[in-house]
Amino acid sequence: MGAVLMSIKWLPLVLFCTLAFGAHAAVDLVKVDKSKRRMYLIENGEVVKEFRIALGANPKGHKQEEGDNRTPEGEYTLDYIIEDSAFYRSVHISYPDAIDRIEAHRRGVSPGGDIKIHGLKNGETRPAQFIQSFDWTNGCIAISNEEMDEFIELVKMGTPILIEW
């Protein structure tokens, strides 16, 4: 019985430590609203985190082909983390999917690819707040470096991403 009382005595401390240090959102959807320049991390239908984003230089509409500077629209998956790229940390998005490839083939163009959520370009010296005040990517979704660290901590690879205008 002493062991049971000892366990009960420590329960509040264990719960506090779990909540304060070990628990984080179980994000089950990342939603991007291109028109509002916002990305939402969603858990069980509730927004648990919101980020201000920058998009491709030609953001309106679905990506049609390589080099159009558009950010794709639709349902994709967050594939994998890239630690070594031209940008501070990246998460790859599963664009193009089969439909994107078929449509691009029908039009005789490359659908493009290499679409990511990423931080700022390596070596960028201007403040993140300034950089994020305009659309500057080639079709990716950009957040600040600090936000990228937080994003990778909160979102598991394999999580769906919905990108809408």
Side-chain angles (χ1 to χ4, degrees):
M1 184 154 140
V4 172
L5 289 176
M6 184 65 118
S7 296
I8 293 171
K9 175 182 172 186
W10 291 103
L11 186 60
L13 179 60
V14 170
L15 288 173
F16 170 78
C17 289
T18 300
L19 293 172
F21 303 110
H24 56 77
V27 173
D28 51 36
L29 175 66
V30 174
K31 184 174 180 184
V32 174
D33 185 332
K34 290 173 30 173
S35 67
K36 292 181 180 176
R37 306 301 192 277
R38 295 289 184 268
M39 179 168 59
Y40 307 98
L41 306 186
I42 299 172
E43 176 187 4
N44 295 323
E46 299 291 325
V47 174
V48 295
K49 184 70 182 177
E50 177 181 332
F51 297 101
R52 166 77 169 85
I53 61 171
L55 299 168
N58 185 23
K60 193 168 186 178
H62 180 58
K63 184 166 192 62
Q64 299 292 308
E65 62 186 78
E66 186 172 9
D68 66 6
N69 291 322
R70 288 187 177 159
T71 303
E73 295 175 1
E75 295 179 27
Y76 299 96
T77 302
L78 299 171
D79 288 321
Y80 52 88
I81 298 170
I82 304 165
E83 296 286 357
D84 184 23
S85 73
F87 301 91
Y88 177 84
R89 303 183 86 184
S90 304
V91 172
H92 186 264
I93 297 172
S94 66
Y95 174 89
D97 63 15
I99 295 170
D100 296 318
R101 286 187 186 95
I102 290 168
E103 284 299 312
H105 180 73
R106 185 181 62 75
R107 289 190 317 278
V109 298
S110 168
D114 204 26
I115 302 297
K116 303 176 290 279
I117 298 170
H118 60 66
L120 302 181
K121 191 168 181 78
N122 291 335
E124 180 59 66
T125 58
R126 296 172 291 180
Q129 187 175 3
F130 170 72
I131 299 298
Q132 291 300 99
S133 68
F134 57 91
D135 291 322
W136 59 272
T137 78
N138 291 331
C140 293
I141 299 165
I143 55 181
S144 75
N145 294 351
E146 294 79 17
E147 291 169 330
M148 195 66 219
D149 287 337
E150 186 175 11
F151 181 88
I152 288 173
E153 182 179 318
L154 294 174
V155 181
K156 292 182 180 177
M157 295 305 96
T159 299
I161 181 169
L162 175 61
I163 307 170
E164 301 175 315
W165 181 258

